[in-house]
C-alpha cells in the first residue's frame, strides 16, 4: 500500500516540484526540450537494449538453460520504457538505471531474491519443450536424488483399444 501511495501521489508531486524548479533556473522551453530529448533517447536506448536482451534469451534457450535473470531484466526494461516516456527527471533517472546493463543486472538479481515468483525453481528448456524436475536438472540427465537411474518408454494402450472397438 505504501508503494502504491508513493508511486501515485508522492512521485508525481516531487516531479512537478522538480520541473518547476528546473524551469525557473534554465527556462521553461529548455526544460521542455530536455524532457522531450530524454524521452526520445530513452525510447531508442530501451529498444536497443531490448534486442540485445532478446538475443541473450534466445541463446540461453538454445543451450537448454532457463533465462530467469534475463527475463527479470526484460521486465525492468519494460518498466524503464514507461518511466522514460513519462515526463520528469526522477522517472528519467530511474528509467536510465533500469536501462543501463551495468545497473540493470544487479537490480534484477536483487528483485529475483526478494520476489519469490521470479525464482525459476528447476527448469530446462529445449526445442522439444519445457522439462523440469525438483532437482532443477533436465530429465535426460539420468540420475535422481537417491542415485537410482530411471529410464523408460511407454505406449498408451487405451487409445488403440478404443480404435479397435470402433472398427
Amino acid at each position: 500500500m505504501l508503494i502504491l501511495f508513493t508511486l501515485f501521489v508522492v512521485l508525481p508531486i516531487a516531479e512537478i516540484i522538480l520541473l518547476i524548479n528546473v524551469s525557473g533556473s534554465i527556462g521553461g522551453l529548455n526544460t521542455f526540450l530536455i524532457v522531450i530529448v530524454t524521452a526520445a533517447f530513452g525510447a531508442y536506448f530501451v529498444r536497443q537494449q531490448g534486442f540485445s536482451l532478446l538475443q541473450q534469451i534466445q541463446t540461453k534457450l538454445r543451450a537448454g538453460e532457463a533465462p530467469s535473470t534475463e527475463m527479470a531484466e526484460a521486465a525492468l526494461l519494460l518498466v524503464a520504457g514507461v518511466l522514460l516516456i513519462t515526463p520528469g527527471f526522477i522517472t528519467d533517472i530511474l528509467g536510465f538505471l533500469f536501462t543501463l546493463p551495468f545497473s540493470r543486472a544487479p537490480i534484477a538479481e536483487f528483485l529475483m531474491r526478494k520476489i519469490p515468483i521470479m525464482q525459476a525453481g528447476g527448469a530446462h528448456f529445449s526445442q522439444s519443450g519445457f522439462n523440469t524436475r525438483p532437482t532443477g536438472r533436465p530429465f535426460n540427465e539420468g540420475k535422481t536424488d537417491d542415485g537410482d537411474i530411471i529410464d523408460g518408454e511407454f505406449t498408451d494402450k487405451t487409445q488403440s483399444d478404443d480404435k479397435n472397438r470402433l472398427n
Side-chain angles (χ1 to χ4, degrees):
M1 186 69 177
L2 181 63
I3 294 173
L4 290 176
F5 179 75
T6 303
L7 283 175
F8 292 111
V9 177
V10 175
L11 184 62
I13 291 171
E15 286 283 16
I16 291 169
I17 291 170
L18 187 59
L19 284 169
I20 290 171
N21 287 335
V22 169
S23 67
S25 298
I26 65 171
L29 181 62
N30 290 336
T31 304
F32 177 75
L33 290 175
I34 289 172
V35 168
I36 296 299
V37 167
T38 57
F41 179 72
Y44 170 77
F45 198 57
V46 165
R47 183 173 182 245
Q48 177 189 18
Q49 289 298 308
F51 284 131
S52 172
L53 195 56
L54 181 61
Q55 289 175 345
Q56 291 174 12
I57 290 170
Q58 289 175 340
T59 302
K60 279 213 168 177
L61 287 174
R62 279 190 215 106
E65 299 173 8
S68 55
T69 304
E70 288 79 6
M71 295 301 286
E73 288 187 39
L76 284 176
L77 269 180
L78 179 66
V79 172
V82 171
L83 290 173
L84 287 168
I85 62 170
T86 303
F89 294 112
I90 299 170
T91 54
D92 286 346
I93 291 169
L94 287 173
F96 280 117
L97 279 175
F98 291 172
T99 303
L100 300 172
F102 61 84
S103 60
R104 182 179 65 230
I107 293 170
E109 289 176 16
F110 172 78
L111 289 176
M112 287 178 61
R113 283 192 308 268
K114 292 295 181 184
I115 302 173
I117 198 164
M118 293 183 78
Q119 296 173 355
H124 172 73
F125 296 88
S126 67
Q127 289 181 345
S128 62
F130 172 76
N131 301 320
T132 185
R133 289 195 327 192
T135 61
R137 295 188 313 258
F139 281 117
N140 59 2
E141 276 190 15
K143 290 195 173 192
T144 60
D145 290 334
D146 59 3
D148 294 333
I149 296 176
I150 300 174
D151 190 13
E153 295 180 14
F154 73 93
T155 305
D156 189 0
K157 297 287 186 174
T158 58
Q159 289 181 354
S160 62
D161 291 340
D162 291 340
K163 287 181 185 177
N164 291 334
R165 285 186 207 144
L166 293 175
N167 292 332

